[in-house]
């Protein structure tokens, strides 16, 4: 009951007072067969009044009553704790819809929580113990402070950090114990704490040469050696007795003890081999710079500020020379006739063992292989440039020459430099590709740099850097640089070997390539056999090219390419990104030596992992082959009549591409509405010129197409209204103006219907029209909306034939546009997954996806409306087009992948909910949860489709697709179209009653 409190008249709003005159006992009795009445209140249109309506609710079902009785029987013998003032029957049960006794409480189960890092969790209570042991190591521990355990005479004061025992010795015993470990770090106990000292201060001398030398020569008094234990000052003595020629000079004696001298005459510094090895592995794997490594080495022994003698410059030279010697050793130059000086270009490079090399891994008759096996003897080469590997205008080749430039991966510097001096300015801006490769050529980005990047070639299938296949770029990615690099790589390949060249700008670069190669210097000059070469664009980069490039240079359309993607060259660039900042400040020689070492490490890692890689690829190929074979069988069965012609086209094109047409070129002659409308208008004009009188100023074709345009406007308005309600677009759409325009068009169309389809007006008159019906829902009553009897009597003969042709064109064009929008949808999801991160960008991306989704719905609705109209015009017979179902409207994805996506999404949702539940149990304060109870993520799009990394990422040749990508519909040729048009015009002049 509701009433207002009586008050004096004033401006304040009345105060509502609610008085309930029912008690809880009124609800305690459960009705059995009597209907329950409830009240529904609705506000009036002006919002000032409330209308109440009493609605009876049917009594509960017998099944529900049985469940209630069983629940009462189950709880009759159990005690239930209820709040004070209520009885058990006064608790409301949501499941049963009334006040009933609650179920017995379930025992609470406490779930044990497992920490993410079990080891750290176990360490927490042991922190005090570990800390005490750390402090104990700073003292003497259990060591005796009275007698040295070595001699038993002197008091022990010296402890070695690196020895295992950790005992204290006297100075004499410590020196004697470290004869074979002269680079250990020692400390001296002063009664309160340990202070750093050195074995040199204790009197240790490091002898080189042979044992028992009678005459020794002292080295430099400040001799410094770099080791993984730190930087040490040591006393060294060299052999100077009669066996000096046998022991060698000072540098030789150091090398024989695995110490690398900094200079060749009277060395004052050295580095141990294990330090140089350690630094090389660290910089190759972790890309640690030499400066960072040396700074850490300085602070290794004492981090309190006492800096050891500076040997950074000496360390630079030793590390660089050591790398070079290791490369020579691994290249077998130590056993070669002629030694190091006889090393030839590219000899130190690690070659790919899987790529075809005649005389090594190919049979003797490989040149006479059949056409089916020629792909086995094809070399796949990938070219590209990296603009991160710049070098500033620092030093020169005369001041900083390379130690072995040209012997492994970099080009021979001098011939390459002389050739570039002869190259004039090149205007090579691409007219095709939207990539940044050629846009760097002849630009201002080279200011302040001697080298703007690096061009390189790798084997596309196994990603091995090719010998003499790396060259500096002086001013962008010019043809002259890439031509020289390409020709230098081909020096090591057999002339008769088939070659596939992958390059992201190959559509521009391969033009006049043969002539440019003949103009190169004699060292790399060659004559290219074009019929043994194929040029392709990598699979990712090709999407930035025009359609013509995608047809001519696609790896998917190249026989024998398999699963090669051509993008393997991007992976070495990613590996070298960490050294770009350090090599930018190097001289030309040191930079080339450093990059050569990194290229060698890359190739070596590829070599040792090649077996596992090929096995993985083989297993994947077998699994995918089974899936694709099943799809191929289904597709072949659907297109059985066309397969012989297709096979002939493909074989002819592969045999001679210059003579035969590319069978993969899209030559779909889509029957568009504009084409049909033009032909109809031409035929009508020809009929009028022959003296055939027209029924109306507006011809029958214009009448039909005006109705189709109004139908399209209705679909668009409905879509815009839906978008505005859903709030998926920020545009303010003037729905009222669009509806006003549509109403005027429908009124004009009604006047034309009186001439061409008077039966439609009669059908409209018999229809009960809704006074609040909006224009987009008003029926247009085209001939296809009438029954067969109504069309025979109430339409001018031939009008339905015009609509038949127009509807067929609608199906064809709508299906084509639907495919395009699905392609765009796939690209949107791929871009959003890879590049969109913050909230603003996500919102904009979701709006783009929503607008594209509305276009997909429009094209789908247009196709389905045209399909239904064709079916009605043909009396329910098949029209040649398939019915479009909701599950058919999808991108070129594998149906199995869709199932996997659903499983993945469900698994992610369950994991997310479990994580939130665990955090709440652990007492975490969750300010705002991005997930609701249903597990819906904030990253999901407005139409409920979550972003998925698998969308659009599956390779083109690994997909199973919907019929909209493979099925062919009706194809009314223009001859048949002309016949229908003429027939419609000849009988269109007769009155409706005599037309038949």
């Amino acid at each position: 009951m509701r009433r207002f409190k009586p008050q004096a008249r004033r401006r304040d709003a009345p105060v509502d007072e609610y008085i309930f005159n029912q008690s809880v006992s009124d609800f305690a009795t459960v009705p059995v067969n009597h209907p329950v009445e409830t009240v529904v209140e609705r506000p009036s249109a002006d919002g000032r009044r409330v209308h109440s309506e009493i609605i009876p609710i049917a009594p509960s079902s017998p099944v529900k009553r049985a469940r209630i009785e069983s629940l009462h029987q189950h709880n009759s013998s159990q005690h239930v704790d209820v709040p004070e003032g209520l009885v058990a029957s006064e608790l409301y049960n949501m499941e049963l819809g009334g006040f009933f006794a609650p179920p017995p409480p379930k025992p609470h189960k406490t779930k044990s929580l497992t920490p993410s890092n079990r080891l750290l969790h176990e360490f927490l209570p042991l922190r005090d113990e570990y800390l005490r042991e750390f402090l104990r190591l700073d003292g003497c521990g259990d060591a005796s402070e009275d007698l040295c355990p070595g001699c038993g005479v002197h008091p022990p004061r010296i402890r070695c950090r690196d020895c295992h025992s950790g005992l204290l010795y006297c100075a004499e015993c410590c020196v004697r114990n470290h004869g074979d470990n002269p680079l250990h770090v020692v400390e001296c106990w002063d009664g309160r704490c340990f202070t750093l000292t050195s074995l040199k201060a204790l009197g240790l001398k490091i002898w080189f040469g042979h044992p028992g030398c009678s005459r020794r020569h002292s080295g430099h008094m400040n001799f410094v050696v770099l080791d993984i234990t730190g930087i040490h000052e040591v006393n060294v003595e060299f052999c100077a007795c009669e066996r000096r020629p046998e022991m060698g000079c000072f540098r030789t004696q150091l090398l024989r003890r695995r110490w690398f001298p900094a200079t060749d005459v009277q060395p004052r510094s050295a580095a141990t081999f294990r330090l140089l090895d350690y630094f090389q592995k660290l910089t190759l794997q972790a890309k640690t710079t030499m400066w960072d490594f040396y700074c850490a080495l300085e602070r290794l022994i004492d981090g309190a500020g006492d800096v050891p003698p500076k040997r950074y410059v000496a360390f630079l030279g030793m590390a660089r020379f050591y790398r070079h010697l290791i490369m020579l050793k691994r290249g077998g130059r130590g056993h070669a006739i002629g030694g190091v000086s006889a090393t030839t270009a590219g000899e130190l490079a690690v070659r790919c063992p899987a790529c075809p090399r005649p005389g090594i891994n190919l049979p003797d008759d490989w040149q006479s292989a059949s056409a089916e096996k020629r792909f086995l003897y094809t070399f796949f080469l990938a070219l590209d440039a990296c603009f991160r590997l710049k070098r500033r205008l620092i030093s020169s080749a005369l001041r900083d020459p390379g130690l072995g430039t040209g012997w492994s991966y970099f080009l021979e510097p001098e011939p390459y430099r002389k050739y570039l001096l002869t190259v004039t300015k090149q205007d090579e801006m691409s007219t095709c590709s939207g990539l940044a490769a050629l846009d760097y050529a002849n630009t201002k980005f080279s200011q302040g740099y001697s080298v703007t990047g690096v061009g390189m070639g790798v084997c596309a299938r196994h990603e091995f850097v090719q010998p003499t296949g790396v060259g500096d770029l002086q001013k962008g990615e010019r043809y002259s640089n890439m031509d020289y690099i390409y020709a230098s790589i081909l020096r090591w390949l057999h002339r008769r070997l088939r070659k596939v060249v992958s390059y992201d700008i190959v559509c521009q670069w391969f033009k006049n390539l043969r002539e440019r190669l003949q103009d190169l210097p004699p060292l790399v000059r060659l004559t290219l056999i074009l019929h043994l070469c194929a040029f392709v664009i990598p699979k990712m980069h090709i999407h930035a090219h025009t359609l013509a490039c995608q047809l001519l240079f696609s790896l998917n359309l190249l026989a024998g390419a398999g699963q090669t993607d051509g993008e393997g060259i991007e992976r070495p660039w990613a590996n070298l990104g960490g050294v770009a900042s350090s090599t930018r400040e190097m001289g030309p020689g040191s930079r080339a030596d450093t990059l050569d070492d990194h290229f060698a490490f890359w190739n070596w890692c590829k070599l040792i992992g090649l077996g596992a890689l090929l096995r993985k690829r083989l297993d994947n190929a077998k699994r995918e082959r089974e899936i694709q074979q099943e799809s191929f069988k289904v597709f072949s069965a659907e297109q059985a009549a066309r397969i012989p012609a297709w096979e002939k086209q493909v074989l002819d094109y592969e045999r001679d591409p210059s003579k035969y047409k590319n069978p993969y070129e899209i030559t779909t002659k889509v029957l568009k509405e504009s084409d049909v409308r033009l032909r109809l208008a031409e035929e009508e004009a020809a009929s009028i010129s022959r003296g055939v009188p027209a029924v109306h100023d507006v011809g029958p074709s214009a009448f039909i197409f005006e109705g189709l345009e109004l139908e399209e406007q209705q679909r668009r308005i409905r879509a815009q209204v839906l978008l505005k309600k859903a709030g998926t677009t920020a545009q303010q759409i003037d729905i009222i103006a669009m509806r006003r325009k549509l109403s005027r068009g429908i009124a004009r169309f009604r006047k034309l219907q009186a001439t061409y389809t008077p039966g439609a007006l009669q059908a409209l008159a018999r229809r009960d029209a809704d006074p609040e019906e909006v224009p987009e829902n008003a029926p247009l009553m085209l001939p296809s909306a009438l029954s067969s009897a109504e069309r025979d009597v109430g339409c001018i003969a031939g009008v339905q034939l015009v609509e038949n042709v127009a509807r067929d064109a609608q199906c064809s064009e709508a299906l084509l546009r639907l495919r395009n929008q699905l392609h765009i949808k796939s690209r949107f999801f791929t871009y959003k997954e890879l590049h969109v991160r913050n909230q603003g960008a996500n919102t904009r991306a979701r709006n783009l996806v929503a607008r594209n989704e509305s276009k997909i719905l429009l094209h789908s609705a247009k196709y389905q409306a045209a399909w239904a109209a064709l079916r009605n015009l043909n009396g329910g017979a098949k029209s040649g087009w398939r019915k479009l179902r909701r599950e058919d409207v999808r991108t070129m994805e594998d149906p199995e992948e869709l199932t996997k996506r659903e499983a993945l999404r469900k698994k992610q949702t369950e994991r997310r909910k479990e994580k939130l539940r665990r955090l709440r149990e652990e007492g975490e304060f969750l300010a705002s949860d991005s997930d609701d109870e249903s597990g819906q993520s904030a990253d999901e799009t407005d139409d409920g489709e979550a972003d998925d990394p698998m969308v659009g990422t599956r390779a083109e040749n690994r997909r199973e697709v919907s019929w909209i990508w493979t099925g062919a519909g009706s194809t009314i040729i223009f001859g048949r179209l002309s016949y229908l048009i003429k027939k419609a015009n000849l009988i269109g002049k007769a009155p409706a009653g005599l037309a038949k």
Side-chain angles (χ1 to χ4, degrees):
M1 177 179 177
R2 180 184 181 189
R3 65 182 177 84
F4 295 103
K5 298 173 86 174
Q7 296 181 8
R9 296 188 63 182
R10 56 180 182 177
R11 295 183 179 180
D12 297 340
V15 178
D16 291 351
E17 181 181 10
Y18 292 86
I19 300 177
F20 296 92
N21 53 13
Q22 292 92 351
S23 64
V24 177
S25 60
D26 296 335
F27 298 96
T29 304
V30 181
V32 180
N33 292 322
H34 191 275
V36 180
E37 294 183 351
T38 183
V39 178
V40 177
E41 295 183 349
R42 295 188 179 91
S44 61
D46 56 3
R48 302 176 61 184
R49 293 176 299 277
V50 177
H51 301 288
S52 299
E53 180 181 359
I54 299 176
I55 299 177
I57 300 177
S60 59
S61 64
V63 177
K64 186 173 181 180
R65 291 199 300 270
R67 292 174 58 192
I68 295 173
E69 293 176 359
S70 62
L71 183 62
H72 280 296
Q73 295 175 2
H74 177 74
N75 296 330
S76 59
S77 60
Q78 298 184 8
H79 174 72
V80 181
D81 295 331
V82 297
E84 184 178 358
L86 294 177
V87 295
S89 61
E90 294 175 341
L91 297 182
Y92 191 82
N93 191 305
M94 293 293 296
E95 180 181 2
L96 301 177
F99 291 85
F100 307 102
K106 297 181 179 179
H108 180 68
K109 296 182 180 180
T110 303
K111 184 178 179 180
S112 59
L113 301 178
T114 303
S116 58
N117 193 324
R118 184 183 57 83
L119 185 61
L120 290 180
H121 187 72
E122 294 175 354
F123 275 163
L124 287 178
L126 304 177
R127 285 179 291 187
D128 291 333
E129 177 185 345
Y130 277 70
L131 186 59
R132 285 194 300 270
E133 294 300 323
F134 276 26
L135 295 176
R136 185 176 183 277
L137 292 176
D138 291 338
C140 296
D142 296 333
S144 173
E145 300 183 15
D146 299 330
L147 296 177
C148 172
C151 62
V153 177
H154 304 288
R157 293 291 183 268
I158 308 299
R159 184 180 68 177
C160 179
R161 284 185 185 177
D162 301 318
C163 288
H164 179 69
S165 64
L167 299 177
L168 272 67
Y169 291 88
C170 63
E172 292 79 2
C173 291
C174 183
V175 170
R176 183 170 59 252
N177 294 340
H178 284 83
D180 293 333
N181 300 294
L183 301 180
H184 281 191
V185 180
V186 294
E187 302 170 320
C188 179
W189 177 255
D190 62 359
R192 297 178 54 198
C193 62
F194 282 102
T195 59
L196 280 174
T197 183
S198 64
L199 291 173
K200 176 184 177 181
L202 298 179
L204 176 65
K205 294 183 179 181
I206 305 175
W207 295 346
F208 292 89
H210 59 91
C213 180
S214 59
R215 183 182 177 186
R216 298 187 176 276
H217 179 80
S218 298
H220 195 276
M221 60 180 302
N222 294 324
F223 196 97
V224 176
V225 59
L226 284 69
D227 186 56
I228 58 175
T229 58
I231 301 176
H232 306 268
E233 292 188 72
V234 294
N235 286 324
V236 295
E237 292 185 351
F238 301 97
C239 174
C241 66
E242 62 278 1
R243 297 182 58 183
R244 166 71 182 274
E246 179 185 352
M247 296 295 103
C249 59
F250 294 164
R251 63 175 181 270
T252 304
Q253 295 183 39
L254 288 172
L255 289 171
R256 291 179 180 179
R257 292 290 184 92
R258 305 181 66 84
W259 285 22
F260 197 93
T263 57
D264 57 342
V265 180
Q266 297 295 328
R268 296 187 300 173
S269 303
T272 60
F273 281 17
R274 63 177 181 176
L275 172 73
L276 298 175
D277 277 330
Y278 180 70
F279 168 71
Q280 186 182 25
K281 300 297 186 299
L282 196 63
T283 188
L284 292 176
Q285 184 63 44
K287 313 303 177 189
T288 305
T289 64
M290 196 168 291
W291 172 255
D292 292 335
F293 182 82
Y294 183 82
C295 291
L297 201 64
E298 282 185 326
R299 293 168 174 80
L300 195 58
I301 295 179
D302 185 7
D306 293 338
V307 181
K310 286 287 184 181
R311 292 294 187 273
Y312 177 67
V313 177
F315 179 58
L316 290 177
M318 288 185 289
R320 179 181 172 188
F321 197 30
Y322 182 79
R323 283 176 166 178
H324 175 64
L325 292 173
I326 291 297
M327 186 173 291
L328 290 170
K329 174 188 172 184
R330 291 172 177 170
R333 299 313 305 165
H335 302 283
I337 300 175
V340 176
S341 58
T343 306
T344 58
E347 190 174 354
L348 302 183
V350 179
R351 304 288 295 273
C352 177
C355 287
R357 295 170 64 186
I360 296 179
N361 57 6
L362 295 187
D364 296 335
D365 58 345
W366 65 272
Q367 296 190 49
S368 59
S370 60
E372 292 79 10
K373 293 187 177 181
R374 287 177 184 172
F375 73 95
L376 297 173
Y377 313 122
T378 303
F379 180 81
F380 286 79
L381 176 66
L383 298 175
D384 195 21
C386 176
F387 297 102
R388 291 192 62 189
L389 295 175
K390 296 180 172 64
R391 189 180 71 82
R392 297 187 183 275
L393 286 169
I394 298 174
S395 190
S396 64
L398 295 177
R399 298 180 58 187
D400 183 27
L403 299 179
T405 308
W407 289 353
S408 52
Y409 304 98
F410 264 91
L411 299 168
E412 300 96 316
E414 192 59 24
Y416 184 51
R417 185 185 67 84
K418 290 181 179 180
Y419 163 71
L420 293 178
L421 292 176
T422 65
V423 178
T424 58
K425 182 178 180 180
Q426 296 177 338
D427 295 328
E428 302 161 354
M429 304 309 295
S430 173
T431 59
C432 166
S433 176
L435 301 176
L438 286 182
D439 293 343
Y440 273 91
N442 304 321
T443 62
K444 61 182 180 181
F445 294 104
S446 60
Q447 185 176 2
Y449 290 95
S450 175
V451 174
T452 60
V454 167
M456 185 173 68
V458 303
C459 61
R461 284 185 164 171
H462 313 108
E463 303 165 12
F464 279 73
V465 182
Q466 296 301 296
T468 63
V470 182
D472 289 332
L473 307 177
Q474 286 69 35
K475 202 174 182 63
E477 196 172 354
R478 298 190 299 178
Y479 290 168
S480 55
N481 300 86
M482 302 308 296
D483 291 345
Y484 196 99
I485 295 172
Y486 175 62
S488 179
I489 295 174
L490 294 187
R491 286 188 292 169
W492 317 110
L493 302 179
H494 196 280
R495 287 175 54 84
R496 305 294 301 177
L497 195 66
R498 294 181 178 272
K499 307 168 188 67
V500 176
V501 183
S502 172
Y503 191 16
D504 55 4
I505 56 171
V506 77
C507 57
Q508 304 292 313
W509 173 73
F510 92 108
K511 300 176 182 178
N512 303 319
L513 176 62
R514 185 174 182 180
E515 292 75 11
R516 296 200 308 268
L517 293 179
Q518 292 177 350
D519 294 337
L520 293 176
L523 179 64
V524 295
R525 183 183 303 160
L526 56 89
T527 301
L528 197 64
I529 306 176
L530 290 179
H531 76 274
L532 294 178
C533 296
F535 299 94
V536 295
I537 299 174
K539 289 186 177 181
M540 184 195 75
H541 292 78
I542 198 171
H543 295 294
H545 289 253
T546 62
L547 180 60
C549 294
Q550 296 182 30
L551 291 172
L552 294 174
F553 306 104
S554 175
L555 275 163
N556 290 327
L557 308 181
L558 180 65
Q563 296 297 324
T564 305
D565 57 9
E567 300 290 351
I569 194 170
E570 302 294 338
R571 298 176 183 98
W573 295 142
N575 180 264
L576 291 171
V579 300
S581 59
S582 57
T583 56
R584 184 178 303 165
E585 308 296 333
M586 293 182 180
S590 58
R591 174 177 172 273
D593 293 340
T594 301
L595 292 179
D596 271 338
D597 195 34
H598 282 272
F599 291 140
F601 176 72
W602 172 266
N603 280 12
W604 176 252
C605 292
K606 286 293 178 181
L607 178 64
I608 60 180
L610 190 60
L613 175 66
L614 294 180
R615 178 55 187 267
K616 179 181 178 181
R617 290 180 177 177
L618 179 61
D619 294 341
N620 292 338
K622 290 180 178 179
R623 182 171 57 254
E624 291 293 338
R625 179 175 178 268
E626 295 177 359
I627 299 175
Q628 295 302 319
Q629 276 187 333
E630 293 298 325
S631 301
F632 185 72
K633 289 179 181 178
V634 175
F635 178 75
S636 299
E638 293 177 351
Q639 308 292 340
R642 305 180 182 183
I643 288 179
W646 287 350
E647 287 183 345
K648 185 178 183 304
Q649 293 175 9
V650 171
L651 293 177
D652 291 342
Y653 176 74
E654 292 178 353
R655 183 168 55 254
D656 190 357
S658 60
K659 182 179 179 181
Y660 295 95
K661 187 179 179 180
N662 188 346
Y664 304 108
E665 183 177 357
I666 300 176
T667 57
T668 305
K669 295 182 180 179
V670 179
L671 191 63
K672 296 183 178 179
E673 294 180 73
S674 58
D675 299 331
V676 175
R677 189 168 190 174
L678 177 61
R679 293 298 302 274
L680 287 169
E682 291 174 351
E683 291 291 342
E684 289 175 359
S687 298
I688 294 175
S689 64
R690 291 193 300 267
V692 179
V695 178
H696 196 277
D697 293 339
V698 178
S701 62
F703 163 70
I704 291 297
F705 278 99
E706 184 170 352
L708 297 181
E709 289 177 358
L710 292 174
E711 188 179 75
E712 181 68 18
Q713 289 182 28
Q714 287 181 326
R715 281 192 292 266
R716 291 187 179 277
I717 293 177
R718 286 194 293 265
Q720 298 293 355
V721 171
L722 181 63
L723 282 177
K724 190 174 182 180
K725 287 182 179 179
T728 56
T729 177
Q731 297 179 352
Q732 298 299 323
I733 305 171
D734 191 359
I735 301 296
I736 298 177
M738 297 175 66
R739 285 173 174 169
R740 189 182 302 116
K741 179 181 178 182
L742 177 61
S743 298
R744 291 195 298 266
I746 293 177
R748 291 193 304 268
F749 186 69
R750 298 299 186 212
K751 297 179 181 179
L752 294 176
Q753 282 181 312
T755 301
Y756 289 104
T757 57
L761 298 180
Q762 297 177 5
L764 285 171
R766 294 192 300 268
R767 177 177 173 268
D768 294 332
D770 187 358
E772 297 183 359
E773 186 178 49
V774 291
E776 61 266 23
N777 294 332
L780 297 177
M781 287 296 178
L782 285 162
S784 58
L786 303 176
S787 64
S788 178
E790 291 174 332
R791 285 195 298 270
D792 292 342
V793 178
C795 297
I796 289 183
V799 176
Q800 60 266 33
L801 296 177
V802 176
E803 185 183 1
N804 198 322
V805 177
R807 292 292 190 179
D808 193 273
Q810 272 192 333
C811 287
S812 178
E813 187 173 359
L815 194 59
L816 176 64
R817 295 184 182 275
L818 176 60
R819 292 168 181 165
N820 291 337
Q821 295 305 135
L822 289 174
H823 272 306
I824 295 173
K825 175 182 179 180
S826 178
R827 295 297 172 192
F828 274 160
F829 277 114
T830 301
Y831 178 83
K832 186 176 183 296
E833 175 64 27
L834 297 178
H835 303 290
V836 177
R837 289 295 179 267
N838 55 64
Q839 181 177 358
N842 266 292
T843 302
R844 290 190 293 271
R846 284 197 295 269
N847 290 338
L848 283 175
V849 171
R851 286 197 290 270
N852 185 72
E853 197 69 24
S854 67
K855 295 179 182 178
I856 292 175
L857 295 177
L858 278 175
H859 298 318
S860 303
K862 182 177 182 179
Y863 175 90
Q864 196 59 23
W867 178 86
L870 282 173
R871 189 176 181 88
N872 194 17
L873 288 171
N874 296 328
K878 293 183 178 180
S879 60
W881 295 97
R882 297 178 61 174
K883 184 177 181 180
L884 185 66
R885 295 178 174 84
R886 183 179 181 85
E887 57 269 18
D888 297 328
V889 184
R890 65 172 188 265
T891 57
M892 297 180 68
E893 295 170 326
D894 191 342
E896 181 184 354
E897 195 165 321
L898 299 177
T899 305
K900 292 180 180 179
R901 179 188 303 171
E902 287 297 327
L904 177 61
R905 183 181 293 116
K906 183 177 179 180
K907 186 177 181 180
Q908 290 175 345
T909 302
E910 293 297 329
R911 189 186 302 116
R912 191 183 303 117
K913 293 171 65 176
E914 176 65 20
K915 180 180 179 180
L916 291 175
R917 186 195 61 77
R918 187 177 68 251
L919 290 176
R920 293 189 184 98
E921 288 183 356
E922 295 173 3
E924 292 290 335
F925 174 74
L926 304 179
S928 61
D929 295 340
S930 60
D931 300 343
D932 58 15
E933 292 300 326
S934 64
Q936 175 115 1
S937 174
D939 292 335
E940 294 190 25
T941 58
D942 296 328
D943 59 354
E945 184 168 359
D947 300 333
D948 196 330
M950 294 187 292
V951 175
T953 59
R954 193 163 176 85
E956 291 90 339
N957 47 2
R958 293 187 180 183
R959 292 172 176 165
E960 295 181 35
V961 296
S962 170
W963 70 264
I964 64 175
W965 305 98
T966 59
S970 175
T971 55
I972 297 182
I973 59 176
F974 280 104
R976 171 66 174 165
L977 175 61
S978 301
Y979 168 74
L980 292 176
I981 292 172
K982 292 178 180 178
K983 182 178 179 182
N985 283 326
L986 286 176
I987 63 178
K989 62 181 183 292
L994 302 176
K996 190 172 182 180

